[in-house]
Amino acid sequence: MKPIIERLFRYVKIDTQSTWEAETVPASANEFVLGQLLVDELKEMGIDNAWMDDKAYVFSHIPANTEKDVPPIAFFAHLDTAPDETGANVNPRIVENWDGSDIVLNEQKGAVLSISKFPYLEASIGKDLIVTDGNSLLGADDKAGVAEIMEAAKYIMEHPEFQHGEVHICFTPDEEIGNSTEYIPIENVPAKYGYTMDGGELGEINFENFNAATATVKVNGVAIHPGESKGKMKNAIMLATDFINHLPWRESPVNTEGYEGFYHVTNISGSVDQAEITIAIRDFFEDGYEYRKKRVQEITEHLNGYYGEGTFETEIEDYYLNMAIEVDKCPVVKENALKAMKMAGVEPIVIPIRGGTDGSSISFMGMPCPNIFMGSANSHSIYEYCTVQSMEKAMEVILNIIRLFAES
Ligand SMILES: [Zn+2]
């Protein structure tokens, strides 16, 4: 088996599933186990400065071997797997030179990986697919990213003739529950530019993501015995549905794609006297984002005019912002990524992320940080798979980026 695949298999065997209920950082104690394994492996390569902190962040760097003034760059990947599907007892297998026919993952469960179900699989015909046994996710998100960075580091250490500036490596815990950059001591990664290896299939690259806000609407009703409530009761549940009906249905997740933003009601709870609605507001563009936030406030005022002042109370908080705001300030970070792909014979597929990404918070910490494919798809499910050839290309892209910065 190829060393990069041996690596992936070794890492996915450690169950590092994050859970929303976790009260610790990292969410899973096994993130320490994987983190320590990576520290040990980095040291074996001769990178003696590798270490892990008390929250399972792993840091290390390869010193520059050139006299030239090369900006330090960093590569990030995350240690945990998604809460959606178990990460225990992962049992990966390789389907070599796949002919495009149905892959039965699990006969008992009737779990089949097929082109009819996942049409984009067609691009992987003729390649070596790594799949699950249908009982767990694969964990290639993001252990493929981890393996690619590790294998690139090993290459650099074994090839002293390969010219490079300072290369930082950082593995983070708890990405899947939105916490991986929450506690990151970014001063331990003194790089000018960064890349997360946490994208999708071959060629995918992201320079932008949604601007995201969360609106919390409190509904203050009036509860009175229903037999005597004519003209007096204000049923908070009914008022809440009225509020939701004022949101433009056409602009909801089910009706939008590409660069279109949306309003997404994520939660509603309540009784006759009190209710609460949570709305996710998403938009790629600054003016559209501001407009959407304003619109939710306008609906609040409009309905208060009808039902009475103070019936609806809306609070809107920014959640994360579009990394393009920072990434666009440094064209070289985009140019070198695109060039690095072409050098590896990979046609870049630039996709705006209809969600968030670690690179967003890292970018706003002062290190522009796009996201690059790691070669997997169907993340967070038993249908997750990755392609050996895509992983190898991702590793090549890492080395090419390092090479390009050293040459420029
Ligand atoms: Zn991921």
Side-chain angles (χ1 to χ4, degrees), residues 78 141-142 175-176 198:
H78 63 90
D141 175 11
D142 188 23
E175 190 269 351
E176 299 289 2
D198 192 20

Side-chain angles (χ1 to χ4, degrees), residues 165-305:
E166 196 167 278
V167 178
H168 289 264
I169 294 168
C170 179
F171 301 122
T172 62
D174 298 0
E175 190 269 351
E176 299 289 2
I177 51 173
N179 272 348
S180 74
T181 53
E182 183 79 14
Y183 305 101
I184 193 170
I186 199 71
E187 65 276 12
N188 292 333
V189 193
K192 188 155 187 208
Y193 308 114
Y195 296 91
T196 50
M197 299 302 296
D198 192 20
E201 248 295 6
L202 186 71
E204 283 184 29
I205 182 157
N206 318 110
F207 299 123
E208 48 194 332
N209 59 279
F210 271 144
N211 293 296
T214 308
T216 310
V217 183
K218 277 209 177 98
V219 190
N220 301 306
V222 177
I224 295 175
H225 187 288
E228 309 160 1
S229 58
K230 183 161 185 191
K232 296 174 205 150
M233 181 192 278
K234 284 205 252 175
N235 186 338
I237 302 168
M238 306 291 278
L239 298 181
T241 55
D242 197 7
F243 194 102
I244 292 168
N245 287 334
H246 274 74
L247 295 170
W249 165 242
R250 207 190 57 73
E251 295 169 38
S252 57
V254 72
N255 290 317
T256 49
E257 62 183 350
Y259 278 103
E260 295 166 332
F262 58 67
Y263 304 88
H264 175 37
V265 181
T266 57
N267 194 52
I268 174 167
S269 63
S271 55
V272 175
D273 66 329
Q274 279 278 343
E276 195 172 286
I277 316 162
T278 313
I279 304 161
I281 300 171
R282 301 287 185 268
D283 202 293
F284 283 100
F285 307 102
E286 239 172 310
D287 49 348
Y289 180 57
E290 292 308 321
Y291 172 76
R292 280 177 200 283
K293 291 198 281 186
K294 211 174 99 200
R295 184 141 180 202
V296 171
Q297 290 292 9
E298 281 169 0
I299 295 171
T300 308
E301 281 155 34
H302 166 71
L303 290 175
N304 277 340

Side-chain angles (χ1 to χ4, degrees), residues 30-59:
N30 271 348
E31 292 180 77
F32 282 125
V33 176
L34 177 56
Q36 190 55 50
L37 173 69
L38 295 169
V39 168
D40 294 344
E41 290 186 357
L42 286 163
K43 286 188 171 166
E44 269 168 43
M45 293 174 196
I47 307 172
D48 296 325
N49 55 46
W51 66 287
M52 175 171 63
D53 76 0
D54 60 353
K55 291 188 174 68
Y57 287 89
V58 173
F59 306 99

